Amino acid sequence: MIVDCAIYRHGHRTEGPEDLSDALAEARAAGGFVWIGLHEPSEREFDLVTREFGLHPLAVEDALKAHQRPKLEVYDDSLFVVLKPVVYEPESDTVSAGEVMVFTGDSFVVTVRHGEGSPLAAVRRRLEDEPEMLDKGPTAVLYAISDAIVDHYLEVATELGTDLEELEAEVFRPEGGGSRNTASRIYGFKRQVLEFRRATVPLALPLTRLAGSGPTGGGVPFVHDKARPFFRDVGDHLMRVNESVEALDRLVSDILSAHLAQMSVRQNDDMRKISAWAAMAAVPTMIAGIYGMNFDHMPELHWLWSYPAAILLMALLEVLLYRLFKQRGWL
């Protein structure tokens, strides 16, 4: 559905007419642009926007189906950018990604949002409070959306870092190794980092092109030349995010390896203890087995103190074995 539609002249908002073709013609006549915001539109709802603004059918298909990677596509009459905002849910410690598609042309901006994350109303209000920035045209809208999404990436990276510190403290606590579900928590955290990484890493190339860097950056249309330093700033922020994501991924892999190593050491300790107790149990079993064979000719078989002597021998051997295993750390 259409969430908002407005015409901007010299950085100031005026309500646009209901007919989209009239809104575009009015914006072009006044030297401004029209900004239409949609949230999960149906094919029928988006068909009118497609006809009026001449959007490319391939980009329209991507905008309707969603589930796209961050990318930048250049068409004859428009620029198509896909961004993936992320939302961190502290209650469940999960990262979920939405999608924001931005169509920009000479006198229009069409934003299509999928998912509940990153509502663009706050971005629109912030731009309307900065007429000088908004006067730069559709490029300013694309920059503001990209900047807001990447800045939120930094917040999510900080939250994930805090969760990783808690997980690390659980694994390396003195009593050792964490609980039985620690491994599943580590795997779950690694999956969240992977989900986050899918949103941030592919965005580096589109921002490089928008900033005018790289072999194809200078040829991107519908981007104001004076806006390129701003996109470079967003790219720098994204680089920090990607470095944080790489560090998180490496750390969580190291924590998982350390946890598995601790579990292996703990199992070895358990096996040594079991072996020590089995050896201690074998000694009296052996002595009792020998004297239980009931042969006529056995040493001290009819001696009055045979039974107490056998019990004492068992006890002495058990004490000796216990002290030996204790000194070697098996018990």
Side-chain angles (χ1 to χ4, degrees):
M1 63 178 179
I2 296 179
V3 178
D4 200 352
C5 176
I7 296 174
Y8 295 90
R9 301 185 184 93
H10 306 295
H12 297 282
R13 174 185 179 123
T14 59
E15 297 301 326
E18 294 183 1
D19 188 273
L20 297 182
S21 59
D22 293 341
L24 182 59
E26 185 178 339
R28 285 174 173 169
F33 69 95
V34 59
W35 180 2
I36 298 175
L38 301 100
H39 179 239
E40 298 183 355
S42 64
E43 186 174 353
R44 177 177 297 180
E45 290 172 337
F46 204 57
D47 186 56
L48 177 61
V49 179
T50 302
R51 292 197 308 269
E52 295 299 338
F53 294 95
L55 305 180
H56 197 278
L58 291 177
V60 171
E61 181 181 0
D62 290 343
L64 288 174
K65 291 185 177 180
H67 304 294
Q68 304 296 318
R69 297 182 70 219
K71 63 180 180 178
L72 168 65
E73 299 287 349
V74 179
Y75 299 104
D76 294 335
D77 299 322
S78 63
L79 192 68
F80 178 59
V81 180
V82 178
L83 304 166
K84 292 184 74 69
V86 296
V87 176
Y88 176 77
E89 299 174 0
E91 294 80 7
S92 56
D93 294 335
T94 57
V95 173
S96 58
E99 290 189 37
V100 172
M101 287 83 165
V102 184
F103 295 87
T104 60
D106 57 346
S107 301
F108 69 87
V109 177
V110 177
T111 55
V112 182
R113 181 167 60 91
H114 291 267
E116 298 301 325
S118 185
L120 300 180
V123 177
R124 189 186 289 259
R125 287 194 300 269
R126 191 185 72 181
L127 277 175
E128 290 173 357
D129 292 336
E130 301 178 5
E132 293 183 0
M133 174 66 72
L134 197 55
D135 191 36
K136 305 298 182 183
T139 303
V141 177
L142 179 58
Y143 158 71
I145 295 174
S146 304
D147 184 55
I149 290 175
V150 172
D151 283 348
H152 190 62
Y153 286 165
L154 292 170
E155 298 176 9
V156 174
T158 301
E159 294 287 348
L160 288 175
T162 302
D163 286 349
L164 184 59
E165 289 176 0
E166 296 176 356
L167 192 58
E168 187 177 17
E170 178 181 345
V171 171
F172 293 105
R173 65 175 183 237
E175 52 271 24
S179 59
R180 292 184 176 181
N181 64 344
T182 299
S184 62
R185 286 190 58 196
I186 296 175
Y187 276 113
F189 187 88
K190 192 172 182 64
R191 182 177 294 275
Q192 305 312 314
V193 173
L194 178 61
E195 182 72 17
F196 190 29
R197 188 174 183 175
R198 288 172 180 166
T200 63
V201 173
L203 186 57
L205 181 59
L207 285 178
T208 300
R209 295 179 62 189
L210 290 171
S213 305
T216 59
V220 178
F222 309 112
V223 176
H224 200 285
D225 290 338
K226 294 183 178 179
R228 299 189 189 279
F230 294 93
F231 284 110
R232 281 198 293 271
D233 181 67
V234 178
D236 290 341
H237 292 176
L238 182 65
M239 186 180 300
R240 287 173 51 196
V241 172
N242 286 333
E243 289 174 352
S244 298
V245 172
E246 291 292 337
L248 288 172
D249 190 48
R250 288 195 301 269
L251 281 173
V252 73
S253 297
D254 292 342
I255 290 173
L256 179 59
S257 299
H259 174 68
L260 294 178
Q262 286 181 334
M263 295 298 293
S264 178
V265 170
R266 183 184 298 176
Q267 289 177 352
N268 290 336
D269 289 341
D270 293 341
M271 288 302 299
R272 285 190 300 181
K273 291 179 180 179
I274 293 172
S275 300
W277 286 112
M280 292 173 63
V283 171
T285 302
M286 179 188 67
I287 296 174
I290 292 174
Y291 278 91
M293 289 187 292
N294 296 323
F295 291 123
D296 290 334
H297 303 287
M298 291 186 68
E300 311 300 340
L301 183 63
H302 301 288
W303 185 38
L304 180 63
W305 299 99
S306 295
Y307 178 74
I311 296 298
L312 180 61
L313 178 62
M314 293 180 189
L316 288 175
L317 291 175
E318 290 294 309
V319 170
L320 290 174
L321 287 175
Y322 180 82
R323 293 187 63 182
L324 177 64
F325 293 145
K326 195 71 174 178
Q327 289 176 355
R328 294 188 177 183
W330 286 28
L331 290 175

